[in-house]
Amino acid sequence: MSFGQSKLYRSEDYGKTFKDITSLINNTFIRTEFGMAIGPENSGKVILTGDVSGGSRGGRIFRSSDFAKNFVQTDLPFHPLVQITYHPQNSDCLLALSTENGLWVSKDFGESWEEIHKAVCLAKWGANDTIFFTTYLNNSCKADLGLLELKKTSDFGKAFKVIGTKIYSFGLGGRFLFASVMTEKGTTRRIHVSLDQGETWNMAQLPSVGHEQFYSILAANDDLVFMHVDEPGDTGFGTIYTSDDRGIVYSKSLERHLYTTTGGETDFTNVTSLRGIYITSVLSEDNSIQSVITFDRGGEWVPLRKPKNTTCDSTAKSKEECSLHIHASYSISQKLNVPMAPLSEPNAVGIVIAHGSVGGAISVMSPDVYISDDGGYTWARMLEGPHHYAILDSGGLIVAIEHTSQPVNVIEFSTDEGQCWYRYAFSKEPIFFTGLASEPGARSMNVSVWGFRGSFLSRQWVSYTIDFSQLLSRTCEDKDYTVWLAHSINPSDPSDGCILGYKEQYRRLRKSSVCQNGRDYVVTKQPSICPCTLEDFLCDFGYYRPENQSVCVEQPELKGHDLEFCLYGRRELLKTSGYRKIPGDKCSGGESPSREEKDMKKKCTSNFLSPSQLAASTSSTPIILAVVAVLVVTVVAGVLIVKKYVCGGRFLVHRYSVLRQHAEANGVEGMDVLDPGTPARKGGYHDDSDEDLLE
């Protein structure tokens, strides 16, 4: 489906043909900033938000339960503030926030609505039918920031329970509920964590932050949290900490992590094609930006290996000794010639595609496209110059189109993971290219090329869909696959391939096989447990790994001090050799550094959440959702020295939480990003957002 301000189209053949279905929505203008609210899984449900006149009583939505074959017009009793969100398991249940700060729910796919609370700043679906939300008590979300109440309801608004006060923001990641809470001084805030949906809380062992700083959940699952803590001042960087499996005790993972106030951009990228791998950028002492990668979920970060047959550019001190640097969100935000962020897919094992440069730091020169077929251990230059790219057929096919201001009519494709490329002219007459689209999931053999012909005033929009199943017509057989050991760097080493305590052997398509994996292709792997080594342990609370070292050393500021912290309401004394096992690590036997928590039998409670106020309430007053953006006044920085990408000085700051439209509508400032996951898409349900803007 595709829509604009006035036209809605639908395709049933992967974009080969389209039918104009604007009449199904009564030729109504669609509010494109709300996007298409598509139901979870394969529910077939779609919601479009109509643009109504300013004097209307409420908004208007168009609902479809049959993949947009038909739509039902529904007038709302409120004006929606942001895109309507679906219950993660039940697509009939919807959540919405109004421009009047009301929290509305529907249990019949939007046919009828009920306002369950007023004065709401932010609302999210939790586990089962739980809804978490913050409310303001006096004036507004912005005025009461840091004094908000965090509430929950598990019965769609029949009863409410206050689970926190003095709240700045909150977020959900994996099985964790996070809250950024103002301290008694009122000038700093601390992260609190709950594993039981807010019934009990523990203070995370993380540094507190002031009003010019922020927290950001970069990634979270059921075992581990990556948390960015901003440095004081407008430095443009902070420190990444990784949690234990309770989300309470954190270890320093990476210092000088680039997370600028400029647009709130971070290059933190989860490589989904192989477990445990993340790529991000650090801001070096000379203010140049460099890429680093971890293969063990933050245990150790290293530079990306220099691709073979490449020369170091002028940012490097040596023509032979340098590394690959990846362009991601920050480069895109700075308007460099980078059309796409790094790409990986869970079913395209080991494949990572990204724009980059080879040198001592990220270069401002036009980048090339690089590919890794082993999750980022080794790289090769795939295409010269910037391109748009897509992965098809579970990695059996890669397609690309050159990024240029000139009209194009050629698509390039590779059947051997980017080693050899072929060109196909999809049209006699070139078009001004605007986008490359394929079905989500990287299983399709079809890709659509979008663009237009003509001048700006008389554009003729066109779409070409290329079906590669005619080229790769043969279905892959057993002989087309081989066994591949992931994370393998030294086959003679018995522990080769051991990451997070176990090895994995994959059944993988041979590069020389020209065949089709097909839609039913399933990634098959064979795991085996490894004995424990120091690589299976993170640095414990109070310790850290210096860059390019595997040994944990004591943090200078904590050296010689007893390591006390609060755990389950008790003051604990930590006895440690400096290591703790990585959450989710499955190693057995081998090395096992000691770690002991000694109960000091002293009560240690945080009253920041005001437990005395955590009584159930039956109030039915509704609330408003507020998503906040931090705005820190600055001067634009950016000096080019020897082609280096320099990031220094003060930055113009706009940090957006997942529901950025809310912030724009309300002008709320100063938010933490506590929702882990991938960069936020407009609207849509996010169960694991990855920023500290806890929201």
Side-chain angles (χ1 to χ4, degrees), residues 156-200:
F156 294 94
K158 293 178 182 177
F160 300 99
K161 184 172 184 179
V162 179
I163 58 174
T165 59
K166 296 184 180 179
I167 301 297
Y168 190 82
S169 56
F170 81 96
L172 298 162
R175 59 194 176 98
F176 305 103
L177 171 63
F178 298 94
S180 179
V181 185
M182 296 301 294
T183 63
E184 290 175 323
K185 296 179 181 178
T187 56
T188 59
R189 57 193 188 276
R190 299 290 300 260
I191 292 291
H192 288 62
V193 185
S194 175
L195 293 175
D196 55 10
Q197 303 201 80
E199 295 297 320
T200 59

Side-chain angles (χ1 to χ4, degrees), residues 631-648:
L631 173 56
V632 175
V633 180
T634 71
V635 177
V636 176
V639 181
L640 304 183
I641 301 178
V642 203
K643 287 170 35 178
K644 273 191 179 180
Y645 193 6
V646 174
C647 167

Side-chain angles (χ1 to χ4, degrees), residues 205-354:
Q205 302 305 305
L206 286 165
S208 59
V209 297
H211 68 281
E212 286 189 349
Q213 296 169 264
F214 64 96
Y215 294 109
S216 179
I217 301 173
L218 300 169
N221 56 32
D222 286 347
D223 296 322
L224 176 131
V225 178
F226 281 90
M227 183 76 77
H228 173 98
V229 181
D230 190 33
E231 287 291 307
D234 296 325
T235 60
F237 66 85
T239 301
I240 294 179
Y241 292 84
T242 52
S243 75
D244 64 1
D245 55 4
R246 300 161 299 185
I248 300 170
V249 179
Y250 286 77
S251 299
K252 189 179 288 188
S253 175
L254 180 66
E255 296 183 303
R256 301 190 67 88
H257 175 238
L258 178 72
Y259 199 145
T260 72
T261 50
T262 309
E265 298 296 340
T266 173
D267 288 339
F268 192 88
T269 301
N270 180 8
V271 175
T272 59
S273 58
L274 214 57
R275 65 184 174 90
I277 302 177
Y278 297 85
I279 300 173
T280 194
S281 298
V282 293
L283 184 63
S284 69
E285 296 287 350
D286 66 357
N287 283 338
S288 62
I289 298 173
Q290 300 165 357
S291 296
V292 289
I293 188 169
T294 178
F295 300 103
D296 56 3
R297 293 211 290 188
E300 180 184 12
W301 295 86
V302 295
L304 281 72
R305 191 179 299 177
K306 175 180 174 288
K308 291 180 180 179
N309 302 322
T310 58
T311 325
C312 304
D313 64 24
S314 59
T315 63
K317 296 177 181 178
S318 163
K319 285 294 180 185
E320 298 302 324
E321 295 183 9
C322 60
S323 56
L324 175 65
H325 302 279
I326 298 298
H327 286 285
S329 296
Y330 185 67
S331 294
I332 295 171
S333 75
Q334 297 304 295
K335 310 298 183 186
L336 295 189
N337 195 18
V338 180
M340 285 189 67
L343 176 65
S344 60
E345 296 284 355
N347 53 317
V349 175
I351 296 177
V352 194
I353 305 174

Side-chain angles (χ1 to χ4, degrees), residues 309-311 324 327 337-339 353-358 365-371 380-389 398-404 408 410 412-414 418-423:
N309 302 322
T310 58
T311 325
L324 175 65
H327 286 285
N337 195 18
V338 180
I353 305 174
H355 289 89
S357 60
V358 180
M365 305 304 287
S366 189
D368 295 326
V369 181
Y370 294 86
I371 186 169
R381 189 169 73 170
M382 184 174 85
L383 293 165
E384 187 174 348
H387 283 70
H388 297 259
Y389 40 76
I398 299 172
V399 297
I401 286 188
E402 183 182 4
H403 178 62
T404 173
V408 297
V410 171
E412 299 171 84
F413 64 94
S414 171
Q419 290 183 333
C420 299
W421 287 86
Y422 305 91
R423 296 166 61 86

